[in-house]
Amino acid sequence: WQAIPFVGFSVAFFALIYPRYLLSSQFYSEDQRRKFAHMDYVRKRDYFDALISSGVGINFDVMNRLLAHKTDVDDAEYDMAGLVLSPKSILKFLRAGNHLNSTGRVCIDSLTRSQLLNLCLTSGSTMLPIQFLQLLVPSFVMRYFVRSVAYDIVRDDDLLIAEGSNVSSLTESEILAACELRGLPTLSDMSATTMKQCLSNHLLMVHEFQEASDGVSNEIVVLYLPSMRNALKKS
């Protein structure tokens, strides 16, 4: 490569133009972090409704009845991510489509290819185009994608819950990364305080669900939660 010096310089040149594809996140500037987090959330949000409406076990009619009567919702509390749901509401949503495995549990192993495709897009587990996923990526690869993201979320949730769900000690950069991982809003005009509220409510719902869950894995909950809450967002 020394005989072709332009090649070495071209890598640095393209790294400046396309930092997201050639550099790891530790090399991003603060402005780049916020910009990329904003872009990621907008891209995921575009597929939230598709995840809900494509037969993934969550029924719009069920959610609309809940929203209208609010009998299963804790004082109809909202944040920027949407409605703060009770464990009973989450279970009702996830069981609406009866997507159970052989042991009667709702888990990643029980998901269909259509479900896996939409979860890849809403969880940010891959940057591949939807056409490429549909035509060329096997189901077991997509299952691996979403399982790895779910594992990271559940593990991080457990650590934060074990520390009392105290997010006030987290830095702004840590809050941004935590919200981005969970599919929570990371829009460029949001303050760190607003993102902390979304993260705190996420941890509250996960913790309450862990104590009341019945045949639904935590991995499924954290993957579906952003789409469920967004569908019940204040208009």
Side-chain angles (χ1 to χ4, degrees), residues 122-134:
T122 56
S123 68
S125 52
T126 176
M127 296 290 289
L128 296 174
I130 184 172
Q131 295 84 358
F132 186 87
L133 286 171
Q134 287 175 320

Side-chain angles (χ1 to χ4, degrees), residues 87 127 157 179 195 211:
M127 296 290 289
D157 282 349
C179 288
M195 286 190 285
E211 297 180 340

Side-chain angles (χ1 to χ4, degrees), residues 17 140 145:
I17 299 178
F140 76 89
F145 283 160

Side-chain angles (χ1 to χ4, degrees), residues 78-189:
Y78 291 85
D79 60 27
M80 284 292 292
L83 192 63
V84 179
L85 297 167
S86 68
K88 184 177 180 181
S89 300
I90 295 172
L91 280 169
K92 183 178 291 188
F93 294 166
L94 292 176
R95 287 185 173 278
N98 298 316
H99 295 295
L100 310 177
N101 67 0
S102 58
T103 63
R105 283 178 58 81
V106 182
C107 63
I108 292 175
D109 289 333
S110 67
L111 299 178
T112 66
R113 180 174 177 82
S114 175
Q115 293 170 307
L116 291 169
L117 171 65
N118 282 293
L119 282 172
C120 279
L121 297 168
T122 56
S123 68
S125 52
T126 176
M127 296 290 289
L128 296 174
I130 184 172
Q131 295 84 358
F132 186 87
L133 286 171
Q134 287 175 320
L135 296 175
L136 299 176
V137 179
S139 295
F140 76 89
V141 175
M142 290 194 283
R143 200 179 306 275
Y144 172 80
F145 283 160
V146 298
R147 193 189 301 278
S148 63
V149 171
Y151 174 79
D152 288 342
I153 297 173
V154 169
R155 181 181 59 177
D156 201 45
D157 282 349
D158 288 343
L159 291 173
L160 289 171
I161 290 170
E163 295 175 359
S165 301
N166 181 17
V167 301
S168 59
S169 61
L170 299 179
T171 66
E172 186 169 341
S173 179
E174 289 170 335
I175 289 290
L176 183 66
C179 288
E180 189 173 13
L181 173 65
R182 292 162 175 81
L184 297 171
T186 51
L187 300 174
S188 56
D189 59 349

